[in-house]
Amino acid sequence: WYQRRVREFQTFQHYFKQINLSQVPRMEEEMGRSLPPSPAVVMCGDTFSLPKDRNLKVGPGLRYINDQISCTKPGVIRSTGKSVWIDRNSRRYVPALEERVIGIIAGRMADEYRVDIGGAHYAMMSSIAFEGATQRNKPDLKIGNLVYGKVVAANKDVEPELSCVHKNGKSNGLQVLEGGYLINCSLGLCRKLLRHERPLPLLEPLFAHFKLFEICVGINGRVWIRSDNIKHTLCIALYLNKCEYLPETDLMPLLKDLVKRVETSM
């Protein structure tokens, strides 16, 4: 137990080394009870009120209680125009509504699939939860197939539920992933890759060096890669496993070194 707690503390400490804490305001010191600017460091039990002129969706790590938001997990609070959440590098994925994940088919029943999404329980997915699927015309998935879907139901008392269609009946990128290569990485790295920022520091070296490749990032700590060359796929997988804590100036040299090593060894 003691060693596990020490490892968790070291992981938490390593995660915050990327942030200049001298420039990040503490909520109690500078922001009082109002919504802090993004990013800001918060701890368990910190509470603040939402601005009345903004309609924000509360995401993972936060709980809405008595017209206030309470932090249930320590980390860095981030917000966009529509949502606010806690960004932290946790060890196990906890399903949350509307999050896009990569699942592995682990079981098959009459009209449902059991999908492994890396959480404490398997997720359930209907066999017709695909664009244009009907009882007579639906995908025939096997155990081990990969699906890229979103969480449509998440509750601590029941199993989560996945779907590959949105409310309008369109997939919009949610699909069965065929071929390619799946790697596991930290939840913090996946959140970095999914941030809506331009440019994307971690992915820019890949865009500059490789012409044709596909990458699909699940927020549950899984990344799917497919390219026209197995060497390129291997280089991208090795790069993503090593780039999380490197400064931006070292990313391109790292990629070039990996490409050179793969070319000489294969």
Side-chain angles (χ1 to χ4, degrees), residues 116-130:
D116 176 17
I117 59 174
H121 305 283
Y122 285 124
M124 305 301 296
M125 185 174 65
S126 173
S127 59
I128 58 173
F130 300 90

PDB file of all heavy atoms in Angstrom, residues 116-130:
ATOM      1  N   ASP A 116     -14.730  -3.592 -23.909  1.00  0.00           N
ATOM      2  CA  ASP A 116     -13.717  -3.210 -22.931  1.00  0.00           C
ATOM      3  C   ASP A 116     -13.224  -1.802 -23.273  1.00  0.00           C
ATOM      4  O   ASP A 116     -12.615  -1.593 -24.323  1.00  0.00           O
ATOM      5  CB  ASP A 116     -12.557  -4.204 -22.962  1.00  0.00           C
ATOM      6  CG  ASP A 116     -11.420  -3.808 -22.034  1.00  0.00           C
ATOM      7  OD1 ASP A 116     -11.643  -2.975 -21.138  1.00  0.00           O
ATOM      8  OD2 ASP A 116     -10.296  -4.335 -22.223  1.00  0.00           O
ATOM      9  N   ILE A 117     -13.483  -0.835 -22.397  1.00  0.00           N
ATOM     10  CA  ILE A 117     -13.034   0.541 -22.614  1.00  0.00           C
ATOM     11  C   ILE A 117     -11.988   0.961 -21.580  1.00  0.00           C
ATOM     12  O   ILE A 117     -11.673   2.147 -21.462  1.00  0.00           O
ATOM     13  CB  ILE A 117     -14.220   1.519 -22.592  1.00  0.00           C
ATOM     14  CG1 ILE A 117     -14.967   1.454 -21.256  1.00  0.00           C
ATOM     15  CG2 ILE A 117     -15.168   1.246 -23.754  1.00  0.00           C
ATOM     16  CD1 ILE A 117     -16.067   2.495 -21.120  1.00  0.00           C
ATOM     17  N   GLY A 118     -11.453   0.013 -20.832  1.00  0.00           N
ATOM     18  CA  GLY A 118     -10.415   0.325 -19.863  1.00  0.00           C
ATOM     19  C   GLY A 118     -10.926   0.769 -18.508  1.00  0.00           C
ATOM     20  O   GLY A 118     -10.120   1.155 -17.651  1.00  0.00           O
ATOM     21  N   GLY A 119     -12.225   0.746 -18.275  1.00  0.00           N
ATOM     22  CA  GLY A 119     -12.777   1.151 -16.992  1.00  0.00           C
ATOM     23  C   GLY A 119     -12.927  -0.021 -16.043  1.00  0.00           C
ATOM     24  O   GLY A 119     -12.439  -1.134 -16.290  1.00  0.00           O
ATOM     25  N   ALA A 120     -13.620   0.217 -14.943  1.00  0.00           N
ATOM     26  CA  ALA A 120     -13.808  -0.831 -13.950  1.00  0.00           C
ATOM     27  C   ALA A 120     -14.785  -1.904 -14.429  1.00  0.00           C
ATOM     28  O   ALA A 120     -14.731  -3.039 -13.966  1.00  0.00           O
ATOM     29  CB  ALA A 120     -14.301  -0.218 -12.634  1.00  0.00           C
ATOM     30  N   HIS A 121     -15.678  -1.545 -15.361  1.00  0.00           N
ATOM     31  CA  HIS A 121     -16.676  -2.486 -15.866  1.00  0.00           C
ATOM     32  C   HIS A 121     -16.710  -2.421 -17.382  1.00  0.00           C
ATOM     33  O   HIS A 121     -16.334  -1.413 -17.997  1.00  0.00           O
ATOM     34  CB  HIS A 121     -18.066  -2.165 -15.295  1.00  0.00           C
ATOM     35  CG  HIS A 121     -18.125  -2.112 -13.799  1.00  0.00           C
ATOM     36  ND1 HIS A 121     -18.136  -3.248 -13.018  1.00  0.00           N
ATOM     37  CD2 HIS A 121     -18.149  -1.059 -12.952  1.00  0.00           C
ATOM     38  CE1 HIS A 121     -18.186  -2.908 -11.751  1.00  0.00           C
ATOM     39  NE2 HIS A 121     -18.185  -1.575 -11.679  1.00  0.00           N
ATOM     40  N   TYR A 122     -17.174  -3.502 -17.979  1.00  0.00           N
ATOM     41  CA  TYR A 122     -17.384  -3.508 -19.417  1.00  0.00           C
ATOM     42  C   TYR A 122     -18.531  -2.565 -19.769  1.00  0.00           C
ATOM     43  O   TYR A 122     -19.468  -2.371 -18.989  1.00  0.00           O
ATOM     44  CB  TYR A 122     -17.719  -4.915 -19.917  1.00  0.00           C
ATOM     45  CG  TYR A 122     -16.541  -5.852 -19.979  1.00  0.00           C
ATOM     46  CD1 TYR A 122     -16.559  -7.067 -19.299  1.00  0.00           C
ATOM     47  CD2 TYR A 122     -15.415  -5.523 -20.719  1.00  0.00           C
ATOM     48  CE1 TYR A 122     -15.482  -7.935 -19.353  1.00  0.00           C
ATOM     49  CE2 TYR A 122     -14.329  -6.375 -20.783  1.00  0.00           C
ATOM     50  CZ  TYR A 122     -14.358  -7.589 -20.098  1.00  0.00           C
ATOM     51  OH  TYR A 122     -13.283  -8.428 -20.159  1.00  0.00           O
ATOM     52  N   ALA A 123     -18.457  -1.989 -20.967  1.00  0.00           N
ATOM     53  CA  ALA A 123     -19.535  -1.161 -21.490  1.00  0.00           C
ATOM     54  C   ALA A 123     -20.424  -2.004 -22.393  1.00  0.00           C
ATOM     55  O   ALA A 123     -19.972  -3.000 -22.971  1.00  0.00           O
ATOM     56  CB  ALA A 123     -18.983   0.034 -22.254  1.00  0.00           C
ATOM     57  N   MET A 124     -21.676  -1.605 -22.509  1.00  0.00           N
ATOM     58  CA  MET A 124     -22.624  -2.290 -23.382  1.00  0.00           C
ATOM     59  C   MET A 124     -22.868  -1.438 -24.616  1.00  0.00           C
ATOM     60  O   MET A 124     -22.938  -0.202 -24.531  1.00  0.00           O
ATOM     61  CB  MET A 124     -23.940  -2.542 -22.648  1.00  0.00           C
ATOM     62  CG  MET A 124     -23.797  -3.300 -21.342  1.00  0.00           C
ATOM     63  SD  MET A 124     -23.042  -4.931 -21.542  1.00  0.00           S
ATOM     64  CE  MET A 124     -24.286  -5.741 -22.548  1.00  0.00           C
ATOM     65  N   MET A 125     -22.992  -2.101 -25.764  1.00  0.00           N
ATOM     66  CA  MET A 125     -23.277  -1.397 -27.008  1.00  0.00           C
ATOM     67  C   MET A 125     -24.268  -2.205 -27.824  1.00  0.00           C
ATOM     68  O   MET A 125     -24.069  -3.409 -28.039  1.00  0.00           O
ATOM     69  CB  MET A 125     -22.002  -1.163 -27.815  1.00  0.00           C
ATOM     70  CG  MET A 125     -22.233  -0.333 -29.070  1.00  0.00           C
ATOM     71  SD  MET A 125     -20.706   0.093 -29.943  1.00  0.00           S
ATOM     72  CE  MET A 125     -20.169  -1.537 -30.450  1.00  0.00           C
ATOM     73  N   SER A 126     -25.329  -1.560 -28.272  1.00  0.00           N
ATOM     74  CA  SER A 126     -26.339  -2.234 -29.072  1.00  0.00           C
ATOM     75  C   SER A 126     -25.764  -2.608 -30.435  1.00  0.00           C
ATOM     76  O   SER A 126     -24.909  -1.901 -30.991  1.00  0.00           O
ATOM     77  CB  SER A 126     -27.565  -1.337 -29.244  1.00  0.00           C
ATOM     78  OG  SER A 126     -28.488  -1.913 -30.139  1.00  0.00           O
ATOM     79  N   SER A 127     -26.238  -3.702 -30.984  1.00  0.00           N
ATOM     80  CA  SER A 127     -25.749  -4.148 -32.289  1.00  0.00           C
ATOM     81  C   SER A 127     -26.218  -3.255 -33.424  1.00  0.00           C
ATOM     82  O   SER A 127     -25.699  -3.348 -34.540  1.00  0.00           O
ATOM     83  CB  SER A 127     -26.213  -5.589 -32.547  1.00  0.00           C
ATOM     84  OG  SER A 127     -27.626  -5.675 -32.524  1.00  0.00           O
ATOM     85  N   ILE A 128     -27.200  -2.381 -33.178  1.00  0.00           N
ATOM     86  CA  ILE A 128     -27.676  -1.458 -34.213  1.00  0.00           C
ATOM     87  C   ILE A 128     -27.289  -0.015 -33.896  1.00  0.00           C
ATOM     88  O   ILE A 128     -27.873   0.923 -34.449  1.00  0.00           O
ATOM     89  CB  ILE A 128     -29.204  -1.559 -34.388  1.00  0.00           C
ATOM     90  CG1 ILE A 128     -29.922  -1.256 -33.075  1.00  0.00           C
ATOM     91  CG2 ILE A 128     -29.591  -2.937 -34.909  1.00  0.00           C
ATOM     92  CD1 ILE A 128     -31.438  -1.185 -33.222  1.00  0.00           C
ATOM     93  N   ALA A 129     -26.300   0.169 -33.021  1.00  0.00           N
ATOM     94  CA  ALA A 129     -25.844   1.516 -32.659  1.00  0.00           C
ATOM     95  C   ALA A 129     -24.814   2.019 -33.653  1.00  0.00           C
ATOM     96  O   ALA A 129     -23.758   2.540 -33.285  1.00  0.00           O
ATOM     97  CB  ALA A 129     -25.273   1.510 -31.243  1.00  0.00           C
ATOM     98  N   PHE A 130     -25.106   1.859 -34.946  1.00  0.00           N
ATOM     99  CA  PHE A 130     -24.240   2.311 -36.022  1.00  0.00           C
ATOM    100  C   PHE A 130     -25.090   3.051 -37.054  1.00  0.00           C
ATOM    101  O   PHE A 130     -26.303   2.831 -37.151  1.00  0.00           O
ATOM    102  CB  PHE A 130     -23.516   1.133 -36.679  1.00  0.00           C
ATOM    103  CG  PHE A 130     -22.647   0.354 -35.745  1.00  0.00           C
ATOM    104  CD1 PHE A 130     -23.157  -0.732 -35.040  1.00  0.00           C
ATOM    105  CD2 PHE A 130     -21.319   0.697 -35.549  1.00  0.00           C
ATOM    106  CE1 PHE A 130     -22.356  -1.464 -34.172  1.00  0.00           C
ATOM    107  CE2 PHE A 130     -20.517  -0.016 -34.680  1.00  0.00           C
ATOM    108  CZ  PHE A 130     -21.032  -1.104 -33.986  1.00  0.00           C
TER     109      PHE A 130
END
